Amino acid sequence: MSGVSIGEASRASGIKVPTIRYYEQIGLLPSPPRTQGNRRLYDAGDLRRLRFIRHARELGFEIEPIRELLALAGEPDRPCASADKIAAAHLADIDHKIARLTALRTEVARMTECTNHSVAECRVIEVLGDHGHCVSDRH
């Protein structure tokens, strides 16, 4: 039986050992064969899958879309439209988050433009105390 230990798989993939175990637990990574001493042995395919998962997570993909993308990767003759749809949905989510962060930044920057000298007249305290003083609605 050949393969690498979970520690070696962790180093090779950049994913921590507990996270690898978690991915196995939720079925994102198939449970590898074990030695007679009950040690997991990961093969080159497992390491590719772990790197795929790590890269997808670094790009902000959630677990379920990664699961779907991994399933698609296992069917190389399928059209790419399904993978494109998953990535497009993620891009739309990123754009929404950027818009929210931009509005948040604008609001915090506006409330810090305070020239008052006492907390009684402080714009930060005023805005945080009454949402009605906010320029944008972030709900």
Side-chain angles (χ1 to χ4, degrees), residues 24-37:
E24 288 176 25
Q25 185 180 39
I26 65 170
L28 206 56
L29 180 69
S31 292
R34 294 180 180 252
T35 66
Q36 287 182 338

Side-chain angles (χ1 to χ4, degrees), residues 26-117:
I26 65 170
L28 206 56
L29 180 69
S31 292
R34 294 180 180 252
T35 66
Q36 287 182 338
N38 205 28
R39 289 184 51 192
R40 296 169 169 90
L41 289 178
Y42 298 88
D43 64 19
D46 295 324
L47 297 179
R48 278 191 303 276
R49 190 174 184 99
L50 285 168
R51 287 184 194 109
F52 182 102
I53 295 167
R54 186 196 77 228
H55 192 209
R57 293 295 286 154
E58 287 172 349
L59 292 173
F61 283 91
E62 298 292 334
I63 295 295
E64 287 311 310
I66 293 172
R67 187 184 309 279
E68 293 173 35
L69 290 166
L70 284 166
L72 290 169
E75 300 179 45
D77 294 330
R78 278 190 62 181
C80 188
S82 296
D84 288 343
K85 184 177 177 184
I86 292 166
H90 183 54
L91 180 60
D93 186 48
I94 290 168
D95 288 340
H96 178 73
K97 288 176 183 175
I98 289 171
R100 287 180 51 131
L101 284 171
T102 300
L104 178 63
R105 187 194 187 292
T106 299
E107 191 64 48
V108 173
R110 188 181 73 79
M111 68 189 241
T112 60
E113 296 171 354
C114 180
T115 57
N116 297 318
H117 299 287

